[in-house]
Amino acid sequence: MSRTRPLPPVLRVVVWILRPIFMVVTRRDWRGDEHLPTSGGYVIAANHLSYTDPFLLGHWLVDHDIPPRFLVKDPLFAVPVIGRLLRMAEQIPVYRGTGLAAESLRAAIHAAEAGSIVTIYPEGTMTRDPQGWPMSGRDGAVRTAHAAGVPLVPVAQWGPQAIMWPYRREFRLFPRKTIHVRAGAPIDLSDLGEHPTQAQFHAATDRLMDAITALQSQIRGEVPTSPRIDVRTLSKPKTRYEES
């Protein structure tokens, strides 16, 4: 596969520093490469497990010749130095719950239309599921892919939570963890038509989350035993989530 755009200079530096470290401190189980389009822009929708996700999923992206381009919560762009680096790396701010929320979606759509590969966490936050299963999703990934007319590729990951469990501060790099990433076949959005209803977007998002959950089930060799958590019912995240 060829890159749709070159790595921004700041990302080249980050990759130069971090990739050799990840090659030493993690094992990698990456499957489903055949489902990744070989040209043009598209949207990757992945489950969100850990604060380490952007780095570890970024490793997978870079090794598949995909320049990492994420939708990132806008408060990070206000942090000195970090915000500047994110802009230099061409990441896309998400202004959730404000009048600028639509700008984030338009930026993602424009990027995909222009041939970029945009990675979105449809849950919008790290999972609160005690077993680490995906929650329900918001419809931004589906809307972006539909509006841009590009494929929507589901991706499941498992392993980052072993390094850093959601909402915990403990960092457990050793013993060396295996980072599993599995891509699935693009989600069929042909039923949405030209002017989808909100109900259709919700149904397509449910299909997306079903696909991501099924991919994670393949990795883990098990299935969820409790109903999927609805992200719209969540309160402020706990700082220490109970791992079982």
Side-chain angles (χ1 to χ4, degrees), residues 61-178:
L61 291 167
V62 167
D63 276 20
H64 286 80
D65 218 16
I66 301 171
R69 195 169 196 183
F70 292 91
L71 267 66
V72 181
K73 291 180 179 180
D74 68 287
L76 287 176
F77 286 82
V79 178
V81 181
I82 292 177
R84 179 174 175 80
L85 291 175
L86 287 172
R87 292 186 181 88
M88 292 172 63
E90 301 179 7
Q91 305 308 296
I92 301 172
V94 177
Y95 302 101
R96 187 179 300 160
T98 73
L100 296 174
E103 292 296 327
S104 305
L105 195 62
R106 279 194 286 269
I109 292 168
H110 177 74
E113 287 176 332
S116 286
I117 299 164
V118 180
T119 300
I120 298 175
Y121 297 114
E123 295 160 280
T125 190
M126 290 183 293
T127 183
R128 308 275 190 89
D129 187 277
Q131 300 293 328
W133 292 104
M135 302 184 292
S136 70
R138 303 180 189 275
D139 60 17
V142 170
R143 286 180 178 273
T144 299
H146 176 264
V150 299
L152 174 62
V153 179
V155 169
Q157 54 176 343
W158 186 246
Q161 83 294 334
I163 295 175
M164 201 171 193
W165 190 263
Y167 304 105
R168 284 187 174 180
R169 298 294 182 182
E170 293 91 341
F171 192 74
R172 302 172 181 171
L173 201 56
F174 297 103
R176 190 162 60 147
K177 311 299 189 296
T178 299

Side-chain angles (χ1 to χ4, degrees), residues 16 30 61 95 134 136 179 194 205 232 237:
W16 182 78
W30 293 341
L61 291 167
Y95 302 101
S136 70
I179 307 303
E194 188 174 351
T205 301
R232 296 165 187 80

